Amino acid sequence: MSGGNTNEPSFRESVNSLFDRAVQRMDLSEGLAEKIRVANSTYTVRFGVKLRGDIKTFTGYRSVHSEHAEPVKGGIRYALAVNQDEVEALAALMTYKCALVEVPFGGSKGGLCINPRDWETDELERITRRFAFELIKRDLINPSQNVPAPDMGTGEQEMAWIADQYHRMNTTDIDARACVTGKPLNAGGIRGRVEATGRGVQYGIREFFRHPDDLKAAGMSKGLAGKKIVIQGLGNVGYHAGKFLQEEDDCKIIAVIEHDGAVINENGLDIETLKKHVSEHGGVATFPHGKHEKDGAKVLEMECDILIPAALESVINLGNADRINTKLIVEAANGPVTAGADEILRKKGVIIMPDMYANAGGVTVSYFEWVKNLSHIRFGRMQRRQEEARQEMIIEALEKMTGQNFPPELRNAFVSGADELTLVRSGLDDTMRGAYGNMRDLWHQSLKKDKDMDLRTAAYIISIQRVADSYRALGL
Ligand code: NAD
């Protein structure tokens, strides 16, 4: 999808121009920069499935952007607008994202031109299995080469079908389950994957709020509580981000934009109630606890502290960038801000937490799931009870030495050993904090010489440097 202005470049061109902005600030040969910039390959498949008494033909893609690390990783999207340009842009972002958060994968992405709402579950299963068959037989789904995950329009169910399809075609592969991530728990998934991208958005925002300099750059007061947030898209990512920010950080979600318009409530929307309503009624239009606005795009321009686009790409573009009225944009979606809009917003002093960082929670926990599948054991299973026994001993010793009782309100938290969900969240939090630290260090250091430096360019520089180092190590 191109931006709102017809003069705007395509999504892939937009990603490339943000890439070039970073490369201009690096000491990288033109040849190596070009090698990193381009997609290595994009496979297009057209396949037929007999449905409703006729043969329906579907078009799908799997693009591999960079194989400097393998397997390559990236979600599969189901949407009518899927096209080669979009898939290649998304695959490129996966390369940079994995490098930024130190997940040892290359970048890939897939897509199928389909509106999942048009099909019944059993029909979707047949379509998904057929698409997976086409990709598996070309090793475009494979535990050691190419590992998909959910994206827009897909979720646990599609991933379970893909895993099963791979297993049927590779019956003796003991690592078959590692061929895809984002599976349900009973099919080899990991606790915390469904919430991971939204959780990562929350951890990223929390980290931003730990740095007074960054708040100052955004013109924001400290403390997340009470901050006004607008969210676009109440799907997997938008829902979880909104829910956690509201329930755990006391933020006020003042508007949610969905495919059928927006719902606004300056006193704050209850995300759990709204999500239930959307699931039951298919949209936000009839939600009774807020004002409905038909023109969802207009609500992106509403005054707020944090704007979280969590649906589509190119929604903030040359057509509306100068009217965006927020201090911080957190790109939960991939590519929601076009390169042209990025420039306008930078000049306005709006801080942008870039997609390759903000939504990296998904791929981070996918990495944990892949490791779990290959090790064939749940995280925490071996050590949890042993940890608890040791903590009990410490309490006993403390009580003996001091003659006093350990505070009962702290006892449970102190004793309990980490289970899988706790470990996954801890690993995700550590990843988000570490990557943010790297980005902001470069941002602030460079600002002294380069007034035009921003978080996104810093993120690109770090990622490109890491990919370049891998290529050099490979002897390229
Ligand atoms: P999803 O399909 O679960 O949700 C998308 C939501 O956006 C849906 O509720 C849909 O109704 C809504 N929507 C569609 N058109 C809209 C419009 N015009 N205006 C407002 N809302 C609209 O998808 P998701 O998995 O939450 O992905 C959303 C974004 O996050 C995508 O850009 C995706 O690439 C990115 N992302 C997802 C993950 C993940 O783990 N799922 C990881 C990284 C990045």
Side-chain angles (χ1 to χ4, degrees), residues 393-428:
M393 271 163 57
I394 292 174
I395 288 182
E396 231 178 88
L398 279 172
E399 288 182 338
K400 256 194 202 150
M401 283 155 61
T402 61
Q404 291 187 25
N405 287 335
F406 196 83
E409 69 279 9
L410 297 182
R411 194 178 181 110
N412 270 352
F414 185 76
V415 167
S416 63
D419 59 9
E420 186 171 73
L421 183 60
T422 311
L423 290 168
V424 163
R425 286 181 179 162
S426 152
L428 176 59

Side-chain angles (χ1 to χ4, degrees), residues 17-26 95-97 99-101 214 331 342 346 351-358 434-448 450-467:
S17 82
L18 295 167
F19 174 97
D20 291 342
R21 193 178 134 74
V23 169
Q24 281 160 15
R25 293 167 161 79
M26 297 174 71
T95 296
Y96 310 136
K97 190 181 303 181
L100 181 68
V101 296
D214 303 5
E331 294 186 326
D342 185 83
R346 246 185 294 120
I351 302 296
I352 301 180
M353 191 180 280
D355 45 11
M356 73 175 77
Y357 170 73
Y436 188 80
N438 292 338
M439 258 184 342
R440 78 174 295 278
D441 285 353
L442 182 57
W443 175 33
H444 287 288
Q445 273 165 23
S446 310
L447 268 181
K448 289 172 201 146
D450 180 359
K451 290 268 165 291
D452 222 12
M453 187 53 137
D454 62 319
L455 273 174
R456 189 196 306 280
T457 309
Y460 267 100
I461 291 175
I462 293 165
S463 305
I464 296 167
Q465 194 58 57
R466 286 181 181 161
V467 177

